[in-house]
Amino acid sequence: MEWLTKFPQLDDQYLSPIKRGIDTEFRMFTRTFGDSIESFFSPLQSLLIFFENFMTSTPWPIIVLGLGAISWLATRSFKVVAGCTLALLAIGFLGMWEDTMKTISLILVCTFFSIAIGLPIGIVMSRSQRFQATVQPILDVMQTMPPFVYLIPVVMLLGIGRVPGFIAVVIYAVPPIIRLTNLGIRLVDKEVLEAADAYGCSKWQKLVKVQLPLALPTIMAGINQTIMMALGMVVIAAMIGVQGLGQTVLQAIANQYFASGILSGFAIVGIAIIFDRVSQTYGRRLQRHRGGSHD
């Protein structure tokens, strides 16, 4: 009965050559095309460096006033603006301003690219059932596969640094904006679409003037989730050389700096609260306008 306790599997003498063959082929691929791939991503590297330098070199009062103004324009809420301002000031007083700015710069670029990638895919998914059936399993894999797994090929191709961290964050953070863009467009009232058709709207006009505006609150919820998931990748991205608060957390773990690690963690939470409150409040404002009320 011993065979009942052991799961049948391929003999190692057959499986090991397959593994070695795959590893060898991938190493040959990286040696052959590695330089070309790095040159392809060099503009992205320059963009990430530019945003990081901009955020770290801009005087802190300008950053605080700028983010406060963006918060006010998005939320029209003094409470949210005051909370964002106090959180940024507290981070600065605790000596984590530069690391925080590096983290914010990465999150902003990753969010922008996630929206640029996810919005069109979500729109196409909402229009094609076949495309949705194809993309849905891919999104499931992207969200459930541990980030360390897809970090392996990225690091082998591009080494360590900003670009691999950016790719890892985008892969992890882009599914929510795709899913909720698709969902928001599909939930648009069919009677409204029929009215648009009756007025002779083309497919493009119907998308831009009817479906996207009505789906915008749901899309904003997707952007909110994308930002939160990007922030969740900060520490993991630090393992492959991305500077910022995540690197401080890793150093605290390695050297058992309890206070430093806790403060860095609170700084990450502070950034998350800022982005979450601003995006959620903006989404609620859009929802109220959708219902016909005004601030």
Side-chain angles (χ1 to χ4, degrees):
M1 301 295 290
E2 185 180 353
W3 63 275
L4 288 174
T5 62
K6 293 183 178 180
F7 193 86
Q9 58 184 5
L10 285 175
D11 197 321
D12 196 53
Q13 64 176 335
Y14 298 110
L15 192 58
S16 293
I18 296 174
K19 293 179 183 177
R20 286 196 298 269
I22 294 173
D23 293 341
T24 302
E25 290 297 325
F26 191 78
R27 289 192 192 98
M28 290 179 63
F29 177 82
T30 56
R31 291 182 189 130
T32 305
F33 299 103
D35 292 337
S36 300
I37 294 173
E38 284 187 16
S39 62
F40 175 78
F41 283 105
S42 60
L44 177 59
Q45 172 88 353
S46 302
L47 180 66
L48 292 169
I49 293 173
F50 169 78
F51 270 94
E52 183 177 301
N53 290 338
F54 173 78
M55 294 296 292
T56 54
S57 61
T58 302
W60 68 266
I62 297 177
I63 295 290
V64 173
L65 289 174
L67 292 177
I70 293 171
S71 301
W72 169 251
L73 292 173
T75 66
R76 295 293 197 275
S77 169
F78 285 110
K79 289 183 179 180
V80 174
V81 174
C84 294
T85 303
L86 290 174
L88 288 172
L89 293 176
I91 288 170
F93 288 140
L94 292 172
M96 294 177 292
W97 183 262
E98 186 171 347
D99 286 336
T100 301
M101 292 303 104
K102 290 178 180 179
T103 298
I104 290 178
S105 68
L106 176 65
I107 297 304
L108 289 177
V109 176
C110 289
T111 301
F112 174 79
F113 273 85
S114 296
I115 295 171
I117 294 168
L119 200 61
I121 295 176
I123 292 171
V124 177
M125 284 179 67
S126 69
R127 291 174 170 269
S128 171
Q129 199 69 30
R130 181 177 296 178
F131 186 73
Q132 177 181 254
T134 303
V135 174
Q136 199 77 32
I138 299 173
L139 297 178
D140 293 338
V141 171
M142 290 169 67
Q143 285 192 293
T144 55
M145 181 177 289
F148 294 104
V149 176
Y150 54 73
L151 281 178
I152 296 171
V154 173
V155 172
M156 289 181 69
L157 286 170
L158 298 169
I160 61 173
R162 295 179 181 87
V163 173
F166 166 87
I167 293 173
V169 172
V170 169
I171 290 174
Y172 189 70
V174 76
I177 183 65
I178 297 175
R179 292 183 189 276
L180 288 173
T181 298
N182 173 39
L183 178 64
I185 293 175
R186 287 180 180 271
L187 289 178
V188 172
D189 195 338
K190 291 183 179 179
E191 293 181 0
V192 177
L193 299 179
E194 290 172 359
D197 290 330
Y199 279 102
C201 291
S202 65
K203 288 185 177 181
W204 175 254
Q205 289 174 326
K206 188 164 61 174
L207 173 67
V208 174
K209 296 183 178 181
V210 179
Q211 290 175 301
L212 285 179
L214 292 177
L216 202 53
T218 306
I219 294 172
M220 282 302 304
I223 293 174
N224 174 272
Q225 290 302 308
T226 291
I227 295 171
M228 294 301 104
M229 295 185 76
L231 275 167
M233 280 289 293
V234 165
V235 177
I236 295 175
M239 295 181 178
I240 54 174
V242 177
Q243 296 182 344
L245 292 170
Q247 201 168 66
T248 306
V249 172
L250 288 182
Q251 291 172 353
I253 293 172
N255 298 289
Q256 298 183 355
Y257 295 152
F258 176 77
S260 176
I262 290 296
L263 290 176
S264 299
F266 277 125
I268 295 173
V269 171
I271 298 173
I273 291 173
I274 290 172
F275 282 117
D276 179 68
R277 292 294 180 269
V278 171
S279 58
Q280 278 200 4
T281 307
Y282 182 59
R284 285 196 292 269
R285 284 189 63 223
L286 291 175
Q287 189 70 48
R288 288 197 296 271
H289 283 298
R290 181 182 178 182
S293 62
H294 300 280
D295 290 339

